[in-house]
Amino acid sequence: MIILDGKGLLDKIKLELKKEVQVLIENGERTPHLAAILVGDDPASQTYVNAKVKACKEIGFESTVIQFSNDVIQEDILLKIDEINCNDNIDGLIVQLPLPNHINENTITHHILYTKDVDGFHPINIGRMVLGLPCFLPATPFGITSLIEEYNINTIGKNCLVIGRSHIVGTPVSILMSRNKPFGNSTVTLAHSKTKNLKSLTLESDIIIVALGVPHFLTDDMIKKSTVIIDVGIHR
């Protein structure tokens, strides 16, 4: 059995990005700048944003965190997004999800200029991804395909089962795995909570991508020998 080392790949990518930033500085160019909007005091969201700030510092990016209280009105967030959209010194914007119930997530994420939507959630970026055009890809699906490429896993013509159909992970990765690319060209099945006879699908799959966040969901009697398994579900 081979363990796919996602952390090792992350460290490698950070080192490559750090070198690219150094070249920018040597050429007298501006370093990239990432802004993040954080609403409320959810510990998990705070941890995610802190991790992004730390990664920016390690690579050499500039970063800015704009924090709002949990009772902020939606209009104030939209105004801040407008301000960042118009700021040529900020290259990317992330609005940390989830947002409080009184805030419409779609309204917020769709308001971000698609050329600064580094989360890849804007409809234009989703559409460009489907068409195979250059765009920002959702981070986790891009991480999955990067991991597959790093380990030179043969995906061409393979049966790939994606379990979980969220617009953040499951649906985008199913599209990426089916594209006509060297590390795509799989025959993809997208399973979800309504899928029947899931075990029969897992036993036929060469690659299984799990995006559920349910501990011990996939068991050893559900997989065949030499199946590639990538589990990106998050749970305690």
Side-chain angles (χ1 to χ4, degrees):
M1 182 175 69
I2 299 173
I3 302 295
L4 306 180
D5 184 4
K7 187 177 184 304
L9 176 58
L10 172 63
D11 292 339
K12 179 181 176 181
I13 291 172
K14 282 182 178 179
L15 184 60
E16 291 171 352
L17 289 172
K18 186 174 182 179
K19 290 177 181 177
E20 290 184 28
V21 171
Q22 289 171 345
V23 171
L24 287 175
I25 294 171
E26 289 167 3
N27 291 336
E29 298 181 51
R30 180 177 57 78
T31 58
H33 187 164
L34 175 68
I37 292 177
L38 177 62
V39 180
D41 53 3
D42 177 70
S45 293
Q46 186 71 61
T47 298
Y48 292 141
V49 170
N50 289 343
K52 288 163 184 159
V53 170
K54 181 183 177 185
C56 284
K57 186 174 182 181
E58 291 172 355
I59 295 165
F61 283 13
E62 227 182 305
S63 64
T64 300
V65 178
I66 301 101
Q67 187 150 8
F68 290 102
S69 62
N70 205 58
D71 59 356
V72 63
I73 61 171
Q74 183 166 290
E75 186 61 30
D76 285 348
I77 301 176
L78 294 174
L79 287 172
K80 178 54 70 173
I81 292 173
D82 283 333
E83 181 184 320
I84 294 171
N85 283 343
C86 296
N87 188 338
D88 292 336
N89 290 319
I90 296 179
D91 305 284
L93 170 61
I94 290 170
V95 176
Q96 184 62 49
L97 303 179
L99 293 170
N101 291 333
H102 68 283
I103 304 293
N104 187 303
E105 287 188 1
N106 284 335
T107 299
I108 296 299
T109 54
H110 296 178
H111 201 71
I112 300 169
L113 193 66
Y114 81 95
T115 54
K116 296 191 179 188
D117 166 44
V118 292
D119 263 333
F121 294 159
H122 194 284
I124 291 179
N125 280 324
I126 295 294
R128 292 179 70 88
M129 177 189 68
V130 172
L131 294 172
L133 299 174
C135 63
F136 286 117
L137 297 173
T140 302
F142 184 45
I144 292 167
T145 56
S146 298
L147 195 60
I148 287 171
E149 183 173 354
E150 174 72 7
Y151 282 86
N152 198 31
I153 295 168
N154 181 20
T155 61
I156 298 174
K158 301 293 185 179
N159 290 328
C160 174
L161 176 65
V162 178
I163 307 176
R165 58 178 170 180
S166 75
H167 70 280
I168 296 174
V169 181
T171 298
V173 80
S174 71
I175 294 167
L176 295 177
M177 291 300 294
S178 65
R179 288 202 305 189
N180 187 14
K181 299 285 184 180
F183 293 95
N185 275 310
S186 297
T187 301
V188 180
T189 300
L190 182 58
H192 46 78
S193 60
K194 303 293 190 297
T195 301
K196 298 185 183 301
N197 302 318
L198 184 61
K199 184 176 179 179
S200 65
L201 294 176
T202 60
L203 288 171
E204 294 175 358
S205 300
D206 305 300
I207 302 166
I208 301 176
I209 298 170
V210 189
L212 285 178
V214 179
H216 313 299
F217 179 84
L218 195 66
T219 54
D220 57 1
D221 64 319
M222 296 173 68
I223 57 174
K224 64 182 182 181
K225 188 177 180 180
S226 301
T227 301
V228 176
I229 302 169
I230 300 177
D231 184 0
V232 296
I234 297 174
H235 53 78
R236 289 188 181 277

